[in-house]
């Protein structure tokens, strides 16, 4: 027969075993969550996730450029990544959504204040008006926040951005793409500085 301490140890052992089993689904859930993150080509970073897996070609880099369309800046404050409408967009890191709405030249825009760094934010412009997050919401790295938006959007009062046919556009844009921008201490920096291909 077990001694008193023998029984106690036995009960303790069973509890530890049960706790271990309880954690298996949690670990499994995290793994399957990561599996949801697009498995397409991504630019590597030891800080951030790539915001749009499967799409890494850049149609317009950060910095000085010839303005591609009326209202688009000649100093480009982010990078443009062409992708079809509906392509999933992911949080590059943990943070708080500080803007998720119509953002004029950026069209429908999501801004996340990053929580692991001070004074750093990321913007996603020309996204779909159907967003998966709202202002004030916390997001985790690799969480889906929205999708690439359409070129044309309707229902914005006095939208000054129009295509060649006079139809209103999703900010100053010539086609479906993600405008990806990072701000550090209030200034835009080249987002590609944080990634390597
Ligand atoms: Zn852009």
């Amino acid at each position: 027969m077990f001694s008193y301490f023998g029984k106690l140890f036995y009960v303790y052992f069973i509890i530890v075993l049960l706790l271990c089993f309880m954690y298996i689904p949690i670990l499994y859930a995290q793994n399957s969550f990561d599996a949801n993150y697009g498995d397409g080509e991504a630019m590597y970073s030891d800080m951030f996730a790539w915001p749009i897996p499967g799409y890494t070609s850049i149609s317009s880099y950060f910095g000085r450029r010839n303005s591609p369309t009326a209202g688009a800046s000649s100093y480009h404050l982010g990078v443009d990544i062409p992708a079809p409408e509906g392509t999933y967009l992911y949080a590059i890191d943990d943070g708080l959504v500080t803007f998720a709405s119509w953002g004029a030249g950026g069209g429908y825009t999501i801004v996340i204040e990053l929580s692991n760094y001070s004074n750093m934010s990321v913007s996603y412009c020309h996204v779909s008006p159907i967003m998966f997050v709202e202002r004030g919401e916390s997001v985790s790295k690799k969480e889906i926040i929205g999708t690439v938006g359409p070129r044309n959007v309707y229902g914005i009062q006095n939208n000054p951005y129009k295509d060649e046919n006079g139809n209103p556009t999703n900010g100053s844009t010539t086609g479906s793409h993600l405008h990806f921008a990072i701000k550090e201490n209030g200034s835009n920096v080249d987002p590609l500085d944080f990634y390597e291909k």
Side-chain angles (χ1 to χ4, degrees):
M1 286 300 285
F2 291 119
S3 68
Y4 174 74
F5 286 106
K7 279 179 193 164
L8 208 63
F9 180 78
Y10 184 70
V11 168
Y12 178 71
F13 178 73
I14 294 291
I15 290 171
V16 167
L17 204 67
L18 284 174
L19 283 173
C20 288
F21 277 118
M22 281 165 65
Y23 275 100
I24 287 173
I26 295 172
L27 292 172
Y28 193 78
Q30 280 174 348
N31 285 337
S32 56
F33 176 72
D34 264 16
N36 282 335
Y37 177 70
D39 53 4
E41 194 192 355
M43 286 199 200
Y44 174 76
S45 165
D46 50 14
M47 284 170 77
F48 302 134
W50 184 241
I52 183 164
Y55 300 89
T56 54
S57 55
I58 310 292
S59 61
S60 181
Y61 285 89
F62 180 89
R64 201 161 297 285
R65 67 173 181 180
N66 295 321
S67 184
T69 181
S73 60
S74 55
Y75 194 91
H76 195 216
L77 298 175
V79 293
D80 290 342
I81 306 154
E85 180 185 344
T87 304
Y88 283 132
L89 302 173
Y90 297 82
I92 64 165
D93 204 2
D94 302 342
L96 181 74
V97 177
T98 53
F99 188 88
S101 185
W102 173 255
Y108 285 99
T109 298
I110 297 172
V111 180
I112 299 170
E113 195 74 43
L114 301 180
S115 45
N116 295 321
Y117 305 92
S118 62
N119 272 316
M120 219 170 165
S121 68
V122 54
S123 302
Y124 304 74
C125 297
H126 316 297
V127 306
S128 166
I130 300 157
M131 302 172 183
F132 301 167
V133 293
E134 55 184 22
R135 193 178 164 210
E137 192 175 325
S138 288
V139 292
S140 317
K141 187 174 190 171
K142 296 185 177 180
E143 183 177 330
I144 298 173
I145 56 166
T147 59
V148 171
R151 180 189 185 197
N152 294 105
V153 292
Y154 300 89
I156 296 291
Q157 297 250 314
N158 307 316
N159 181 354
Y161 306 99
K162 307 247 189 292
D163 64 17
E164 66 280 6
N165 301 316
N167 293 316
T169 55
N170 192 357
S172 56
T173 175
T174 54
S176 284
H177 74 282
L178 168 67
H179 171 94
F180 171 44
I182 292 179
K183 253 187 188 177
E184 224 176 343
N185 299 314
S187 304
N188 283 91
V189 292
D190 186 351
L192 297 185
D193 283 352
F194 300 94
Y195 294 88
E196 45 189 281
K197 186 124 185 180

